Amino acid sequence: MFAIPSGVKVSGVAHSFPAGEVGSAAAIRRNLPTRLVARSQELVLAGILKGRRKLPEGMVMHAPPDTGITLPPQQRFFKKGAATGPPRESRFGPVWIWAMTGALFFAYAAVSLRLHERMLSNSYDLGIFEQVVRSYAHGHLPTSELKGPDFPVLGDHFSPVLILVAPFYRLWPAPATLLVVQAGLIAASVVPLALWVYRKLGTLAAAVVGICYGVSWGVASAVGFDFHEVAFAVPLLVFSLVALARGRLSAAAYWALPLLLVKEDLGLTVAAIGVLIALRGNRRLGIITGLSGLLGALLVLFVILPAFNPNGSFAYWFWLDSPGGGHGGPLDQLHKMTVGLVTPQAKVSTLVLVLAPTLFLALRSPLVLIALPTLLWRFASGNAFHWGTGYHYSLVLMPIVFVAFADALVDRRANPDSVRRYLVGCAAVSLLLLLPSFPLWQLVQPATWRADSRVALAHRLMGRIPDGATVQASSQLVPQLTSRTSTSLYGWWQSRPNPQWIMVDTRVPQDRRWPLDFMKEKIMLDQARTRGGYRTVAEQDGFVLLKRG
């Protein structure tokens, strides 16, 4: 009900009330029906107080200047000049969401940087990506010695978005720059998801969804394995899918389209987003977005990548071959695209783990369909590394699955008990069952923070290699050298021949050795000394440093 000041005159009939008395007094009831009074008060007074309506003829409102009339608290929204937008907290979110995001950023950065400091980062892929970003930072098209002498990386994977890292690399020319940027990109993706859940379901739900997504196994695996360009896709996907869930279809398309600059396969993900936009009501925008994604992917795969690749074609078509090699006949391809998508068992296990943190509730949201392009190419691949839970391959699946999970929770908000049960289950699976098995758990393991004397020795020996020299090195030593030398991988057939320096760690465990096993590495080192023109500069604690000439 609205408060009516004293001296109000309605339809020419004067009614006298004490200042601020509610308009449901008996005097009003005697003159007008109760429902008419209530409705007239809502329509007339609300319109007057909003400033959108003048007093009707015959109605006057005035209040004694000394009454100090104020509207009841629930009506202050309508005061003239009051802000009509969301309050500051609802626009930028509560402080704890930003604190949670900051904590996750430091966790990601700590794991990645510590692995690099312990010489557990790799030539493939941190070394390659540093050479790419270093090229951009020096103002020329990206090349990577690790892929071959002056190899044009735009003929390998299409990721021009990496140019955005170049300004940071100019300020801090080190592989750690890439790891910190990756941590920032992934952490930033937590904010739009947590804010949306906070506004729809409250603090508890936002905290559970934000934390469980932030420490999800796909995110942890990517953080624990070097740097990858798909880190740029993560915030773009979250912003796009949250906008799609909120019905902001134009924003969903705008956030999705830059995925075309992240990696060649993500054009299919853009196409999937376009399909959902069309199904949700904006057919024209959905068709434009879907065609942009599909045609963009085809353009990159069949025109841009072949134009830069020295062999004149996309370098990874062989991933679609059978594991034994070859395309096979029609029946083989039919098997591959049907039964082969769920065999061997590793593929099913990965699919179960993708959905398990959401207790499979993500399947109740159509947003989960956006994961199909990534799952299809991975499970159709003949590369067994694509089937499992390791490396970075599941990073882009995590934002899709968790936004779909949040979307399904929002649909169930009329049933708080059901929402609460799913939140408890999500926390139990993510934090108790999965987190200890993936790299973020290293933060609480003493070995992560234990100093290794061999690391200091390796850096002393690498310090003897001058800046700008050509070097071949073991995989774990490569990222320690790429910022200041022209580095390639020791024992890899594509590496630049006859480098000025060779540095090898002969004590790398067998499960981390690549591309040479222990015996092949020993034979190659002996040949370099005896027939390759190299002399031993240092040999200590398993490290061998050779110089040509």
Side-chain angles (χ1 to χ4, degrees), residues 11 38 53 107 180 242 330 338 359 397 450 524:
S11 299
R53 182 182 299 175
V180 171
V242 167
T338 53
L359 278 65
L397 296 176
R450 193 175 297 131
M524 285 192 65

Side-chain angles (χ1 to χ4, degrees), residues 73-160:
Q74 66 268 29
Q75 305 302 334
R76 290 180 186 172
F77 176 79
F78 297 107
K79 291 176 68 177
K80 184 176 181 180
T84 58
R88 185 175 184 84
E89 180 174 289
S90 65
R91 181 176 302 161
F92 300 106
V95 173
W96 69 263
I97 288 182
W98 295 94
M100 175 180 67
T101 301
L104 289 170
F105 164 73
F106 283 112
Y108 301 153
V111 169
S112 297
L113 293 173
R114 189 62 189 139
L115 286 169
H116 178 64
E117 290 170 356
R118 294 165 62 202
M119 296 197 310
L120 296 176
S121 54
N122 303 275
S123 57
Y124 282 56
D125 294 310
L126 181 57
I128 291 174
F129 282 114
E130 187 186 4
Q131 290 177 339
V132 170
V133 173
R134 187 182 181 193
S135 299
Y136 280 128
H138 287 86
H140 53 81
L141 291 176
T143 59
S144 174
E145 283 286 297
L146 287 161
K147 300 293 295 184
D150 299 319
F151 184 88
V153 177
L154 288 176
D156 188 57
H157 288 299
F158 185 73
S159 303

Side-chain angles (χ1 to χ4, degrees), residues 113-458:
L113 293 173
R114 189 62 189 139
L115 286 169
H116 178 64
E117 290 170 356
R118 294 165 62 202
M119 296 197 310
L120 296 176
S121 54
N122 303 275
S123 57
Y124 282 56
D125 294 310
L126 181 57
I128 291 174
F129 282 114
E130 187 186 4
Q131 290 177 339
V132 170
V133 173
R134 187 182 181 193
S135 299
Y136 280 128
H138 287 86
H140 53 81
L141 291 176
T143 59
S144 174
E145 283 286 297
L146 287 161
K147 300 293 295 184
D150 299 319
F151 184 88
V153 177
L154 288 176
D156 188 57
H157 288 299
F158 185 73
S159 303
V161 71
L162 290 172
I163 197 172
L164 298 178
V165 187
F168 301 99
Y169 189 85
R170 290 285 292 183
L171 296 174
W172 186 17
T177 301
L178 281 68
L179 300 176
V180 171
V181 167
Q182 176 174 258
L185 289 167
I186 299 175
S189 70
V190 177
V191 174
L193 175 59
L195 282 178
W196 175 51
V197 176
Y198 170 75
R199 290 163 181 163
K200 291 292 185 181
L201 300 174
T203 300
L204 176 63
V208 172
V209 173
I211 293 172
C212 291
Y213 163 63
V215 301
S216 58
W217 65 266
V219 169
S221 294
V223 167
F225 180 57
D226 297 355
F227 168 91
H228 295 90
E229 73 283 78
V230 289
F232 281 93
V234 177
L236 293 173
L237 280 169
V238 175
F239 276 111
S240 179
L241 299 188
V242 167
L244 189 56
R246 294 175 60 190
R248 300 174 63 240
L249 304 184
S250 295
Y254 297 151
W255 283 111
L257 289 172
L259 292 170
L260 292 168
L261 303 178
V262 177
K263 200 172 180 182
E264 59 275 2
D265 64 286
L266 290 174
L268 300 179
T269 301
V270 175
I273 293 173
V275 170
L276 285 188
I277 290 174
L279 293 176
R280 294 206 169 194
N282 195 332
R283 183 173 299 178
R284 180 174 179 273
L285 178 62
I287 292 174
I288 292 174
T289 304
L291 287 177
S292 297
L294 181 60
L295 295 178
L298 294 175
L299 178 67
V300 170
L301 289 172
F302 291 98
V303 178
I304 297 177
L305 288 172
F308 282 96
N309 191 288
N311 295 322
S313 66
F314 177 51
Y316 298 101
W317 288 125
F318 70 90
W319 280 350
L320 298 179
D321 295 345
S322 300
H327 294 287
L331 291 179
D332 180 69
Q333 289 301 311
L334 178 62
H335 179 274
K336 183 181 181 65
M337 299 307 296
T338 53
V339 177
L341 292 177
V342 292
T343 56
Q345 184 180 348
K347 298 177 183 179
V348 177
S349 299
T350 296
L351 184 60
V352 169
L353 283 179
V354 166
L355 297 168
T358 74
L359 278 65
F360 299 89
L361 184 64
L363 293 172
R364 301 295 297 270
S365 169
L367 297 179
V368 78
L369 297 175
I370 296 170
L372 282 179
T374 297
L375 289 171
L376 286 174
W377 79 253
R378 284 181 59 186
F379 292 167
S381 169
N383 185 346
F385 289 120
H386 294 157
W387 307 338
T389 59
Y391 309 105
H392 60 290
Y393 298 115
S394 295
L395 177 59
V396 297
L397 296 176
M398 295 298 104
I400 298 172
V401 168
F402 273 89
V403 175
F405 176 54
D407 185 46
L409 287 177
V410 170
D411 287 343
R412 302 173 78 88
R413 58 184 166 178
N415 188 346
D417 290 337
S418 176
V419 171
R420 194 176 300 112
R421 286 194 297 270
Y422 276 106
L423 290 174
V424 171
C426 178
V429 172
S430 300
L431 304 180
L432 300 181
L433 296 181
L434 296 178
L435 178 60
S437 301
F438 290 90
L440 286 176
W441 193 249
Q442 295 180 23
L443 289 171
V444 298
Q445 294 178 328
T448 302
W449 309 104
R450 193 175 297 131
D452 185 350
S453 59
R454 292 189 77 243
V455 172
L457 173 61

